[in-house]
Amino acid sequence: MHIVICIKQVPDSAQIRVHPVTNTIMRQGVPTIINPYDLFALEEALRLRDAYGGEVTVLTMGPPMAEDALRKALGYGADRAVLLTDRYFAGSDTLATSFALSQAIAKVGETFGTPDLVFTGKQTIDGDTAQVGPGIAKRLGLLQLTYVAKIPSIDLAAGEIKVERRSEGGTQMLKSRLPCLITMLEGTNEIRRGSIHDALCAARNQVLKWSAADAGIEDLTKCGLRGSPTVVKRVFAPPARAEKAALIDTAEKALRDVADELITAIFTRQPALEHELAFNGGA
Amino acid sequence: MSTANRETPRPAAGRAGIKKELPAHFKDYRHVWVFIELERGQVHPVSFELLGEGRKLADKLQVQLAGVVLGPPGEAVGNAVAEAFAYGADLVYIAEAPLLADYRNEPFTKAMTDLVDTHKPEILLLGATTLGRDLAGSVATTLQTGLTADCTELDVDTDSSLAATRPTFGGSLLCTIYTLNFRPQMATVRPRVMPMPQRTDKPVGRVIRHKLSLAEDEIATKVLGFLPDNQSAKANLAYADVVVAGGLGLGAAENLQLVKNLARAIGGEHGCSRPLVQKSWMPADRQIGQTGKTIRPKLYIAAGISGAVQHRVGVEGADLIVAINTDPNAPIFDFAHLGIVTDAIRFLPALTEAFTRRLSPHSRDKLAS
Amino acid sequence: MIEENFDAIVVGAGMSGNAAAYTMASHGLKVLQLERGEYPGSKNVQGAIMYANMLEKIIPDFRDDAPLERHLVEQRLWVMDDTSHTGIHYRSDDFNEAKPNRYTIIRAQFDKWFSRKVREAGATVLCETTVTELIRDAKDRVVGVRTDRAGGAIYANVVVLAEGVCGLLGTRAGLRQMPKPQTVALAVKEMHFLPEEVIEQRFGVKGDEGCVIEAVGTTSRSMAGLGFLYTNKESISLGIGCLVSDFAAMVESPYVLLDALKSHPSIRPLIAGSEVKEYSAHLIPEGGYKAIPQLFGDGWVVVGDAAQLNNAIHREGSNLAMTSGRIAAEAIIEVNSRNAPMTKRNLALYKAMLDKSFVVKDLKKYKDMPALLHTNSCNYFTTYPRLMSQAAQNFMRVDGTPKIEKEKATTAAFIKARSRWGLVSDAVRLALAWR
Ligand SMILES: Cc1cc2nc3c(=O)[nH]c(=O)nc-3n(C[C@H](O)[C@H](O)[C@H](O)COP(=O)(O)OP(=O)(O)OC[C@H]3O[C@@H](n4cnc5c(N)ncnc54)[C@H](O)[C@@H]3O)c2cc1C
Ligand SMILES: Cc1cc2nc3c(=O)[nH]c(=O)nc-3n(C[C@H](O)[C@H](O)[C@H](O)COP(=O)(O)OP(=O)(O)OC[C@H]3O[C@@H](n4cnc5c(N)ncnc54)[C@H](O)[C@@H]3O)c2cc1C
Ligand SMILES: Nc1ncnc2c1ncn2[C@@H]1O[C@H](COP(=O)(O)O)[C@@H](O)[C@H]1O
């Protein structure tokens, strides 16, 4: 079985800070990480490979430094890594990204065998549109199974897959056909720590670097800014609330009194609440 | 907007400047559509929130607001249509077919894209639910148009194109996004981000039916079964009027009981910040924030939560935010309305106790009379 | 699982480890380097000044692509009391030479670059891999290492311990003692980000020119300590370090000292309006010559901070680290070329070569300095700074006091503080230790 998984290198948005004055992002020293959601997909892919045999190819589109993310992925035990990097891709939005990736996946298929499964994460933490996955599926004409929580069984011979899919208020049990694209739900597994052997292989393994041409992309008008129907017009910091919280003084007071004071403050600001709480509360 | 090479997003020079000369074949795309999300007989409330927003857009554009209902034959669709009108739709498109019973990407995408190709809306809004996101993604790529996900604000600008504002960089910034030269302009909005509009009974208006040309055996994906969430997981956080949440500041899993106790005492739901889910002190569907639930309760009490931006974006819609935190400089005090600088572990029981006293039966009688 | 054998395993990807790994790999040895950090440099803290000469000996054309911040054209030595500083400034245009001698660097970036060179030289580098134990054979020779990753042991003819100041691995294996509190300093450091222009204008530098301030005095609360301020391209590294034992004795927290330094009237304006980005703390070996442990044994050598090779007086460490790493590598290459085993006897070559280098010579020169400054710290770091500034102020201030009386007052102050004998002996002791 050949599994292709798309990962993205993202700035650790927990550590991104906005410059108070200029409102620009201060990326000085902001570390980059593998999009956390992609790790669930990667681990699932590795488990399926271990269970059914085959190969896992990791694919990313990004600047040259995205190679670090791929090296990490190899360290976790992926068999092959492809970095799709080309100035033509700069500024891609969801549509352009899924175009480039789908073309690259097709090329990976030609070169290393058609994938039975394509994985993406649920969403990225810098774009978080959750649309690149579906986009790839459409373009490659793959069946699309999103928010998958579990893959109970795959029947390679019959080209059949069973999945448990998260949906509003419950879980769908689905049966579908291979090849298909799966986006994994978070928290479904935990990424493994590669063995010393994996780490050694990773360190020696080459990351394939593909340009648009290498990936067999002819129509460059579908790439990067030009291929992106959406455009970011304005970037700005969330408006700060004018006044800070009114602090209730706790100095040498019994907690009990502080609590009463707080409740009074709450009900003076939201008079309607007292009535509601009185009748819903105390259940 | 998942860009391959994320520079600090400046107004994309050149392109943003481009005078948006819409290609001729898009010129006749008009009206605002809202996808009415119908799953297992229930309309997802986010659809009504979107009708509220869609109404404003339609009025600004002086066009009509339409609802789109996809589902199996039966009264569920009928109710959905009635509700769509009650929440402000001018007309409703319907595709009714047995194979639209349970959500599956293939038939829903087909139905929606066919409808768009036939009736040409300029704006199409969907809820950013698991269903909505799954559908929006493949519809947008099928139609080769732009899609802005998880919008927090929708507006039309001077040249009457959709200005969709969404958080970026983990919520630390907002950006306004346009769909140039393509139609429809698609956007998804997460539940509870937009306020619930007034419901007013209205007669069912104009309904346009669409015949879905697709047979069950053309669909590869089959639904084997559905497992509804068990009670505990059925957290109705997003729609609760009162929410009490705990953060890492509570120090230990057991202390979450204090949060649950207070929530119960005042008839609210309990939630938490992300680290607690990561430590599996709480199930994922209790997480509040950017990657969890967005809430708009009348009262939100946060105990031991620092108020990181990713948490903030999920709670800012609350009418009244009360923060309990030992650190007077915790960012949460920047957006909370009321704050107490004290040890939540000691304070929560006192507060629960005080509420119970205040809300005791006889005080209820007082209020009732 | 894998029974792979390397010529050499290098533990640590800091200055010394990279120097050793690079040198061995570029001489065709099969080298494995293990680093516990997420990437090389991710855990490393340094001022940091990098001394070109020692790097040139390893990578002659490093200037082509190494991430260098500024080359130093000015050095300021300040003696501070609470409100003032008395200083010597040395600035020379000669430092604007084709191949400048000292650069400020940011370790996280520099180490990444250095590590890339190591890889290009042919070594295998594994990050996020902590070496947990040294494997010994029946004859107690070190033959390999175990890591925190699954998949068992890795073997090598020799293990180069470049694990930094704490050196848990070597100390746990009983190859040397844990450094003592009175022989290691704890340094805390902040990065203050400022626009390039602002730095240039505040320090009167242009282009890639840089400036260094090193300050002793009351900011270290009469502990043997040194404050430093280094200019990078778009940031200022500001820090202070004192002996761990002193911190313990004075129950002072490092932050308090750093805050005192930051709010000192002579420093405050230099960092005004800056955006503090990262705060870090790290140990510095300061035991000097007398603290140097056993440097080699059967199947192992120890280099850099792990070997306490650090010249506190001159704020030099990375260069001793690089040099010891390089020399150890050269010794190993030599032994290897003779197809001789990596025994204690053969590896003694490393120490022999190191003794001849500036590394040991310098440390020997100051062998008594640490002890002196430590025992006498109160005088050298409080009394004298105060006296100096009083003297200076007394000399500058024009208030109608006859000059002769001013001088008398100054001398009196000195004698009152330390007594004639005290002054003489302090001076003599210092001179002896310096010699
Ligand atoms: C891509 C991304 C998405 C994210 N999405 C979310 C999200 O959806 N939701 C979310 O919540 N986070 C999210 N986060 C994480 C977020 O950045 C913060 O790390 C997180 O919200 C911090 O949780 P916390 O406030 O509980 O813990 P901390 O930040 O550690 O805050 C603990 C607080 O408790 C206070 N405290 C300590 N002891 C006590 C005491 N005894 N009594 C009272 N107060 C005390 C402390 O002063 C501190 O302010 C996301 C991060 C990323 C990178
Ligand atoms: C605040 C400060 C300022 C300084 N300023 C200067 C200066 O201006 N100029 C100067 O020349 N020197 C300076 N120094 C000293 C200089 O930083 C050190 O002497 C130098 O870094 C020593 O290099 P090293 O390779 O021996 O150790 P390190 O650079 O500390 O490298 C040790 C490496 O080994 C790794 N490691 C440790 N244990 C293990 C293990 N078990 N498994 C795998 N990996 C492991 C660590 O992660 C680390 O990467 C300063 C030091 C400090 C703290
Ligand atoms: N530039 C990229 N390279 C590779 N995969 C990507 C890229 N962008 C997005 N993806 C994949 O698409 C998923 C959804 O991304 P997004 O639509 O940005 O939320 C991610 O989890 C990745 O698996």
Side-chain angles (χ1 to χ4, degrees):
Chain A
M1 171 159 64
H2 186 196
I3 305 176
V4 174
I5 144 124
C6 299
I7 66 168
K8 187 184 182 188
Q9 186 184 48
V10 297
D12 186 344
S13 60
Q15 301 201 35
I16 285 188
R17 275 149 58 262
V18 180
H19 193 287
V21 188
T22 61
N23 257 353
T24 50
I25 291 151
M26 305 197 310
R27 17 183 67 252
Q28 245 286 10
V30 174
T32 57
I33 53 175
I34 294 182
N35 177 38
Y37 296 105
D38 301 352
L39 291 176
F40 300 115
L42 178 55
E43 175 60 24
E44 195 63 31
L46 294 171
R47 287 185 189 180
L48 291 175
R49 176 202 60 190
D50 297 347
Y52 298 92
E55 280 189 326
V56 172
T57 302
V58 198
L59 170 66
T60 194
M61 173 175 101
M65 71 175 222
E67 177 173 355
D68 299 350
L70 290 172
R71 290 225 156 274
K72 256 190 156 27
L74 288 169
Y76 292 126
D79 303 282
R80 185 183 299 111
V82 178
L83 170 59
L84 188 60
T85 184
D86 200 315
R87 57 192 174 79
Y88 293 114
F89 299 138
S92 303
D93 73 352
T94 337
L95 206 62
T97 304
S98 48
F99 171 73
L101 287 172
S102 54
Q103 296 269 313
I105 293 170
K107 186 71 176 183
V108 167
E110 287 169 31
T111 331
F112 308 106
T114 323
D116 308 277
L117 277 174
V118 176
F119 275 98
T120 72
K122 184 185 98 184
Q123 61 186 231
T124 52
I125 61 171
D126 60 346
D128 60 63
T129 76
Q131 259 109 43
V132 168
I136 294 170
K138 251 291 148 288
R139 284 223 158 73
L140 294 174
L142 299 173
L143 296 163
Q144 157 184 334
L145 303 167
T146 56
Y147 303 94
V148 169
K150 194 151 172 281
I151 304 181
S153 76
I154 290 182
D155 182 338
L156 282 168
E160 238 179 48
I161 181 169
K162 290 207 178 79
V163 304
E164 295 180 8
R165 175 179 182 274
R166 181 87 205 131
S167 76
E168 298 297 314
T171 308
Q172 273 184 326
M173 315 292 170
L174 297 175
K175 176 162 78 76
S176 194
R177 227 193 300 107
L178 296 175
C180 63
L181 179 136
I182 293 180
T183 81
M184 282 308 286
L185 195 64
E186 69 271 28
T188 43
N189 60 36
E190 198 173 320
I191 189 70
R192 65 191 58 194
R193 187 127 201 290
S195 72
I196 193 82
H197 178 69
D198 295 324
L200 275 169
C201 296
R204 291 166 178 165
N205 206 331
Q206 281 308 315
V207 167
L208 304 173
K209 297 192 190 60
W210 287 2
S211 66
D214 300 332
I217 300 178
E218 275 113 28
D219 188 353
L220 293 171
T221 63
K222 286 207 171 79
C223 296
L225 274 177
R226 292 166 70 200
S228 304
T230 59
V231 54
V232 177
K233 256 233 174 145
R234 197 152 121 329
V235 177
F236 54 102
R241 252 196 52 249
E243 81 289 11
K244 280 183 129 236
L247 292 185
I248 290 176
D249 172 28
T250 54
E252 69 267 342
K253 271 195 220 138
L255 283 178
R256 181 196 166 102
D257 304 339
V258 181
D260 288 331
E261 207 176 316
L262 173 61
I263 294 173
T264 314
I266 291 174
F267 290 153
T268 24
R269 283 169 185 251
Q270 298 284 327
L273 263 178
E274 178 156 20
H275 196 275
E276 273 179 46
L277 297 196
F279 292 94
N280 308 337
Chain B
M1 32 163 288
S2 147
T3 60
N5 182 356
R6 287 203 145 263
E7 288 315 317
T8 310
R10 306 168 222 82
R15 276 172 47 81
I18 293 173
K19 172 86 203 73
K20 281 175 266 153
E21 187 41 59
L22 203 57
H25 63 284
F26 284 133
K27 285 244 164 43
D28 54 347
Y29 277 62
R30 290 190 74 227
H31 306 306
V32 178
W33 284 16
V34 170
F35 171 62
I36 308 297
E37 182 174 326
L38 185 60
E39 202 165 23
R40 289 181 310 289
Q42 291 295 322
V43 176
H44 195 297
V46 71
S47 309
F48 304 140
E49 295 161 13
L50 286 177
L51 283 168
E53 285 306 297
R55 185 73 265 164
K56 294 183 204 147
L57 298 175
D59 293 347
K60 282 194 187 127
L61 291 163
Q62 293 164 351
V63 299
Q64 290 191 308
L65 173 66
V68 181
V69 181
L70 312 178
E75 88 265 21
V77 168
N79 300 338
V81 173
E83 287 307 298
F85 284 107
Y87 280 100
D90 302 315
L91 73 160
V92 173
Y93 295 91
I94 305 179
E96 255 179 327
L99 47 74
L100 295 173
D102 291 293
Y103 174 76
R104 282 174 298 172
N105 178 265
E106 300 151 89
F108 274 67
T109 305
K110 176 95 171 69
M112 183 59 97
T113 47
D114 288 354
L115 273 164
V116 169
D117 287 335
T118 337
H119 303 282
K120 305 185 168 22
E122 62 192 292
I123 293 176
L124 172 56
L125 307 177
L126 300 88
T129 58
T130 46
L131 191 164
R133 283 182 152 199
D134 184 273
L135 182 58
S138 43
V139 168
T141 30
T142 313
L143 299 169
Q144 298 278 307
T145 187
L147 167 60
T148 310
D150 291 359
C151 301
T152 52
E153 195 187 325
L154 297 170
D155 200 356
V156 289
D157 78 351
T158 47
D159 63 1
S160 68
S161 51
L162 179 69
T165 299
R166 72 183 306 275
T168 178
F169 284 98
S172 34
L173 286 178
L174 295 171
C175 62
T176 303
I177 296 174
Y178 288 77
T179 296
L180 299 177
N181 310 351
F182 294 86
R183 291 294 180 268
Q185 307 162 86
M186 291 179 61
T188 62
V189 179
R190 299 173 62 200
R192 297 306 263 156
V193 168
M194 302 300 181
M196 180 63 72
Q198 263 308 325
R199 184 189 186 290
T200 45
D201 278 306
K202 285 216 206 76
V204 167
R206 183 150 159 263
V207 171
I208 298 170
R209 294 187 172 276
H210 171 77
K211 171 118 187 37
L212 178 60
S213 54
L214 190 71
E216 180 59 46
D217 52 26
E218 295 174 69
I219 306 170
T221 306
K222 309 289 177 197
V223 180
L224 302 178
F226 182 82
L227 201 78
D229 292 330
N230 55 22
Q231 214 49 39
S232 75
K234 232 195 217 104
N236 200 352
L237 250 189
Y239 289 88
D241 281 336
V242 177
V243 175
V244 185
L248 269 187
L250 294 180
E254 356 12 313
N255 292 334
L256 288 170
Q257 197 50 47
L258 305 177
V259 170
K260 293 177 187 163
N261 293 347
L262 176 56
R264 193 174 321 101
I266 57 181
E269 285 282 354
H270 66 275
C272 66
S273 64
R274 181 161 95 155
L276 275 55
V277 172
Q278 287 166 329
K279 287 176 174 288
S280 49
W281 289 0
M282 274 221 194
D285 61 356
R286 291 278 174 183
Q287 180 184 320
I288 298 170
Q290 188 206 347
T291 47
K293 296 261 191 331
T294 304
I295 61 173
R296 326 181 121 249
K298 299 196 172 108
L299 172 63
Y300 175 55
I301 302 179
I305 294 179
S306 62
V309 60
Q310 294 89 355
H311 187 81
R312 174 179 180 161
V313 294
V315 302
E316 267 173 326
D319 298 338
L320 183 63
I321 302 176
V322 178
I324 308 166
N325 195 307
T326 44
D327 171 8
N329 300 323
I332 193 156
F333 290 124
D334 298 343
F335 58 93
H337 304 90
L338 287 170
I340 297 198
V341 180
T342 186
D343 176 355
I345 299 158
R346 288 178 52 248
F347 185 67
L348 283 173
L351 187 58
T352 313
E353 203 265 338
F355 262 119
T356 334
R357 244 186 296 114
R358 178 86 167 232
L359 306 172
S360 64
H362 83 271
S363 71
R364 259 175 242 174
D365 306 340
K366 274 215 315 292
L367 284 161
S369 59
Chain C
M1 188 161 131
I2 40 156
E3 281 298 331
E4 214 174 320
N5 195 67
F6 292 84
D7 294 329
I9 289 175
V10 179
V11 181
M15 287 290 195
S16 61
N18 285 336
Y22 180 88
T23 311
M24 290 188 289
S26 46
H27 281 73
L29 269 63
K30 188 180 174 196
V31 178
L32 174 65
Q33 187 180 36
L34 302 167
E35 164 60 44
R36 88 184 147 186
E38 192 199 348
Y39 57 87
S42 57
K43 284 202 155 65
N44 296 342
V45 182
Q46 186 175 331
I49 302 174
M50 193 275 299
Y51 303 91
N53 170 282
M54 292 71 188
L55 183 52
E56 262 165 2
K57 289 198 166 60
I58 302 163
I59 305 179
D61 54 2
F62 73 90
R63 290 184 181 83
D64 298 351
D65 54 0
L68 306 166
E69 293 290 309
R70 296 174 176 274
H71 69 273
L72 299 178
V73 297
E74 179 172 342
Q75 178 103 17
R76 305 179 185 173
L77 298 167
W78 286 2
V79 179
M80 291 176 145
D81 75 351
D82 300 343
T83 57
S84 74
H85 75 264
T86 318
I88 319 167
H89 293 197
Y90 181 70
R91 182 189 180 109
S92 170
D93 194 45
D94 301 349
F95 287 130
N96 283 318
E97 54 214 317
K99 296 188 163 192
N101 170 258
R102 301 186 304 162
Y103 295 89
T104 51
I105 56 168
I106 293 171
R107 275 295 294 276
Q109 291 159 24
F110 185 86
D111 288 14
K112 257 189 177 168
W113 165 84
F114 206 161
S115 180
R116 203 182 73 236
K117 292 287 175 188
V118 172
R119 266 195 223 96
E120 288 166 3
T124 306
V125 183
L126 303 190
C127 294
E128 288 180 291
T129 309
T130 306
V131 176
T132 49
E133 99 181 88
L134 295 171
I135 303 170
R136 313 264 191 113
D137 68 2
K139 295 213 198 59
D140 215 34
R141 288 177 306 209
V142 174
V143 293
V145 301
R146 254 182 248 296
T147 73
D148 62 341
R149 285 183 186 266
I154 324 170
Y155 297 94
N157 303 342
V158 60
V159 174
V160 178
L161 295 162
E163 46 178 338
V165 55
C166 295
L168 290 175
L169 202 54
T171 47
R172 257 198 260 103
L175 306 180
R176 71 190 110 86
Q177 306 250 305
M178 198 65 176
K180 301 184 187 48
Q182 57 274 26
T183 64
V184 285
L186 174 62
V188 292
K189 181 192 147 200
E190 276 179 359
M191 294 282 271
H192 290 254
F193 284 89
L194 283 168
E196 208 170 326
E197 322 76 74
V198 175
I199 292 177
E200 288 176 0
Q201 160 257 321
R202 280 184 193 176
F203 292 86
V205 291
K206 57 177 177 1
D208 289 344
E209 292 177 345
C211 169
V212 170
I213 301 175
E214 285 175 340
V216 292
T218 56
T219 42
S220 68
R221 303 285 161 86
S222 77
M223 300 190 257
L226 186 84
F228 59 87
L229 181 154
Y230 300 159
T231 54
N232 304 317
K233 203 120 205 54
E234 290 179 332
S235 62
I236 290 176
S237 310
L238 183 68
I240 186 165
C242 294
L243 290 174
V244 172
S245 52
D246 284 352
F247 279 125
M250 312 278 296
V251 292
E252 269 296 14
S253 113
Y255 325 93
V256 179
L257 293 197
L258 188 52
D259 283 341
L261 185 64
K262 275 157 63 182
S263 51
H264 189 285
S266 303
I267 298 286
R268 210 188 309 114
L270 296 174
I271 55 171
S274 67
E275 169 80 31
V276 184
K277 192 67 198 277
E278 65 194 55
Y279 173 92
S280 49
H282 200 280
L283 294 174
I284 310 179
E286 304 221 328
Y289 184 74
K290 295 181 171 167
I292 301 178
Q294 173 65 27
L295 291 172
F296 59 94
D298 281 318
W300 63 271
V301 294
V302 57
V303 297
D305 274 12
Q308 303 290 304
L309 301 173
N310 199 306
N311 183 342
I313 308 304
H314 285 261
R315 313 294 298 156
E316 295 177 26
S318 62
N319 54 330
L320 282 69
M322 281 191 273
T323 307
S324 57
R326 190 198 85 227
I327 292 179
E330 288 168 352
I332 290 169
I333 292 162
E334 169 63 25
V335 175
N336 188 66
S337 65
R338 290 193 246 117
N339 297 319
M342 297 288 164
T343 57
K344 186 170 186 177
R345 248 176 102 264
N346 292 334
L347 289 172
L349 178 62
Y350 161 47
K351 177 151 194 320
M353 291 164 73
L354 199 65
D355 286 339
K356 290 206 209 66
S357 75
F358 80 93
V359 175
V360 173
K361 290 211 176 95
D362 285 0
L363 291 176
K364 210 177 211 151
K365 174 175 188 297
Y366 296 119
K367 59 184 187 323
D368 301 321
M369 212 54 179
L372 170 71
L373 293 182
H374 183 42
T375 49
N376 259 15
S377 57
C378 170
N379 299 331
Y380 292 112
F381 293 88
T382 305
T383 318
Y384 286 118
R386 288 233 167 84
L387 290 169
M388 277 180 73
S389 84
Q390 279 164 17
Q393 184 167 121
N394 191 354
F395 183 79
M396 316 274 166
R397 195 185 285 280
V398 176
D399 55 7
T401 326
K403 303 290 178 230
I404 179 85
E405 288 177 26
K406 279 179 175 274
E407 280 168 28
K408 282 218 190 77
T410 302
T411 335
F414 271 79
I415 295 168
K416 182 157 169 299
R418 292 290 298 140
S419 84
R420 277 208 163 66
W421 173 239
L423 290 170
V424 177
S425 68
D426 288 346
V428 173
R429 281 230 230 51
L430 191 60
L432 287 174
W434 197 271
R435 197 192 53 207

